[in-house]
Amino acid sequence: MTTSPLTGGPQLPQQRRIVTEIPGPRAKAFQARRLNAVASGVGSTLPIEVVAAGGGVIVDSDGNSLIDLGSGIAVVNVGNAASAVANAVAQQAAAFTHTCFMITPYAGYVEVCEQLNRLTPGNHDKRSALFNSGAEAVENAVKIARVATGRSAVVVVDHAYHGRTNLTMALTAKSMPYKAGFGPFAPEVYRVPMAYPYRWSTGAESCGPEAAAAAMDHIRTEIGADRVAAMIMEPILGEGGFIVPGESYLPEMVKFCKDNGILFVADEIQTGFGRTGKWFACEHENIVPDLVTTAKGIAGGLPLAAVTGRAEIMNSVHAGGLGGTYGGNPVVCAAALAAINMIETEGLVERSAQLGEILQSRLDEMASQDPGIGDVRGRGLMQAMELVHPGTNKPDPDRTKAVIAATHAKGVVTLSAGTYGNVVRFLPPLVIGEDLLNEGLDIVAEALAATR
Ligand SMILES: *Cc1c(COP(=O)(O)O)cnc(C)c1O
């Protein structure tokens, strides 16, 4: 565990190496060029110019080697440019790059569906359909749930994130930057209370049952349970701030859905593929969703997404009702099969659980010395800390920005999250070396000390 199992493509030295300020002179020139070409609404957290990445590092055009604690937002779980993925992509690209599965099908698509049917929670008969992005998968889960139930309403929770298309903006909670000015949004979307233990007024203990009761009451009295096609929820909230639902909330909501003919859709787009120390985060709560959406960690960095679910639900849609030009592109499917194989053969799910313990204990230790860290939470290699004004739970987004900026300046890529912009989240590649992870966390601790 001390060295990275670098199946990573470019055999990059697994080290932090800072040779210029960050961003350096080349990065600054690149940023100026980018601003002249790329729409300013598309942001970048750390405006360097990437030239290579692998294992747990990202190398920029100034020659700096940064520790990656973000994985491109939980995407490169198997590491960047993993050679198994890169080779599979090259081989498939040389054979054929696209025929459109809806016109002339090929094996890779079917194999990815077989793998998803096998790996996702539950032993029931399943079917899958492939798409290009997480948002597209969520949209299709709603399409499928509406046809399968003959109902229109969709229930989501406070602090949810499900994407940036029109319907998924409606499903997403946070206004700025995701929704502001982009409405009107799709109708028939209803939001219920989420069990957010750190911020639940009567405390973390009572959070799960009380939030579930409030959510069920809202569905019964204001929406009408018999009008609801689906409840969609991330089993651990991602963009919302890595909120692990208060105990019993998820199982109670899943049972309520079952009792009322509502399909429970687990959005595992950020939590899937070993990220939380299990294949899928639902497994931590022993819940079996009717449908699962996946994307991000599925294909080693290539764009692929899926809906997987009970065969009778998935097959309720009329022929031709699901699809898309590129969905399940052959090159991307080859990447997914290589990434899934790598997660299994290299034991990356177990590795995520093991490294996650180190990550969490180090964050706990930082919190014990810093009254501005209100909460540390997460599972596996999906962990975060919520920053507040000491002695209160008032969010501290300014310090959060300062902490993240300080880590960037020292060559560690960290990301923020949270409805209040006050969460620092950690999503290292599952293949990161233990030493590199610890070095990255040393820098985080320094950044915390410097911003106290
Ligand atoms: C990222 C994300 C999405 C959207 O995926 P895209 O590929 O960006 O469209 C949806 N749900 C969750 C939970 C996500 O983290």
Side-chain angles (χ1 to χ4, degrees):
M1 288 266 290
T2 47
T3 54
S4 172
L6 227 201
T7 326
Q11 295 289 311
L12 297 172
Q14 293 297 295
Q15 62 179 27
R16 186 175 64 101
R17 186 184 65 239
I18 307 303
V19 296
T20 69
E21 59 172 350
I22 296 175
R26 280 170 177 270
K28 282 183 181 147
F30 171 70
Q31 178 67 0
R33 177 179 158 200
R34 165 233 164 93
L35 288 174
N36 274 324
V38 180
S40 58
V42 183
S44 290
T45 304
L46 176 47
I48 55 170
E49 181 190 5
V50 177
V51 294
V57 301
I58 295 175
V59 176
D60 75 5
S61 57
D62 289 293
N64 299 301
S65 174
L66 291 78
I67 299 177
D68 181 10
L69 299 185
S71 300
I73 318 186
V75 169
V76 288
N77 289 8
V78 296
N80 226 303
S83 57
V85 172
N87 292 339
V89 165
Q91 230 172 16
Q92 180 57 48
F96 61 98
T97 49
H98 175 83
T99 63
C100 187
F101 190 78
M102 299 184 302
I103 301 176
T104 49
Y106 41 88
Y109 189 115
V110 177
E111 282 173 37
V112 170
C113 292
E114 288 167 350
Q115 296 288 7
L116 288 169
N117 297 346
R118 175 175 69 88
L119 292 166
T120 50
N123 298 322
H124 48 279
D125 192 20
K126 295 175 202 156
R127 297 289 185 276
S128 292
L130 305 184
F131 305 97
N132 303 295
S133 70
E136 204 188 342
V138 174
E139 292 239 1
N140 276 279
V142 173
K143 285 167 64 173
I144 294 163
R146 283 178 171 158
V147 169
T149 59
R151 304 172 178 185
S152 57
V154 178
V155 169
V156 287
V157 299
D158 287 327
H159 309 287
Y161 182 86
H162 298 293
R164 294 174 181 265
T165 57
N166 186 269
L167 174 56
T168 58
M169 277 193 290
L171 302 173
T172 290
K174 191 175 178 177
S175 177
M176 190 57 90
Y178 304 125
K179 302 168 77 168
F182 297 138
F185 302 113
E188 288 301 308
V189 173
Y190 301 89
R191 197 169 304 284
V192 298
M194 158 68 190
Y196 187 164
Y198 178 63
R199 295 194 172 276
W200 196 255
S201 63
T202 60
E205 292 280 289
S206 48
C207 173
E210 285 184 15
M216 290 185 262
D217 186 57
H218 186 86
I219 294 170
R220 278 194 210 98
T221 60
E222 293 184 34
I223 310 167
D226 59 353
R227 291 211 312 113
V228 179
M231 174 171 185
I232 307 178
M233 192 178 156
E234 305 151 83
I236 299 174
L237 271 56
E239 305 302 300
F242 286 19
I243 307 166
V244 181
E247 215 179 314
S248 87
Y249 181 85
L250 264 174
E252 282 193 46
M253 292 313 297
V254 169
K255 179 170 188 306
F256 174 80
C257 287
K258 194 173 179 5
D259 292 345
N260 288 279
I262 299 168
L263 302 184
F264 186 84
V265 182
D267 182 347
E268 291 256 17
I269 288 169
Q270 191 155 163
T271 48
F273 299 95
R275 173 53 56 191
T276 69
K278 304 262 190 201
W279 268 97
F280 293 96
C282 283
E283 295 167 42
H284 294 287
E285 310 246 7
N286 289 316
I287 59 167
V288 177
D290 298 300
L291 300 176
V292 182
T293 55
T294 52
K296 293 199 165 91
I298 192 174
L302 279 82
L304 180 64
V307 182
T308 300
R310 295 186 188 281
E312 64 278 16
I313 296 169
M314 295 296 294
N315 286 340
S316 65
V317 177
H318 46 276
L322 302 175
T325 306
Y326 290 117
N329 168 278
V331 177
V332 177
C333 285
L337 293 170
I340 290 168
N341 181 56
M342 189 175 157
I343 294 172
E344 285 199 304
T345 56
E346 304 206 4
L348 296 184
V349 177
E350 298 73 24
R351 186 176 172 84
S352 172
Q354 287 161 5
L355 288 181
E357 277 176 31
I358 296 171
L359 173 55
Q360 186 160 45
S361 70
R362 293 232 27 209
L363 297 181
D364 281 339
E365 188 190 314
M366 293 177 210
S368 72
Q369 295 161 15
D370 189 332
I373 301 176
D375 196 22
V376 170
R377 57 184 179 243
R379 295 193 203 271
L381 285 179
M382 180 174 184
Q383 303 273 346
M385 54 193 186
E386 178 158 358
L387 299 186
V388 294
H389 292 279
T392 74
N393 71 356
K394 191 171 168 277
D396 193 346
D398 294 334
R399 185 175 179 212
T400 307
K401 282 191 201 84
V403 168
I404 287 172
T407 62
H408 291 177
K410 294 209 162 148
V412 178
V413 180
T414 56
L415 310 174
S416 68
T419 298
Y420 312 106
N422 66 326
V423 174
V424 186
R425 60 171 151 173
F426 301 96
L427 293 163
L430 312 186
V431 297
I432 195 170
E434 187 179 331
D435 41 0
L436 209 58
L437 175 64
N438 273 313
E439 187 180 344
L441 293 170
D442 293 342
I443 302 293
V444 172
E446 282 174 29
L448 284 164
T451 56
R452 280 268 264 288

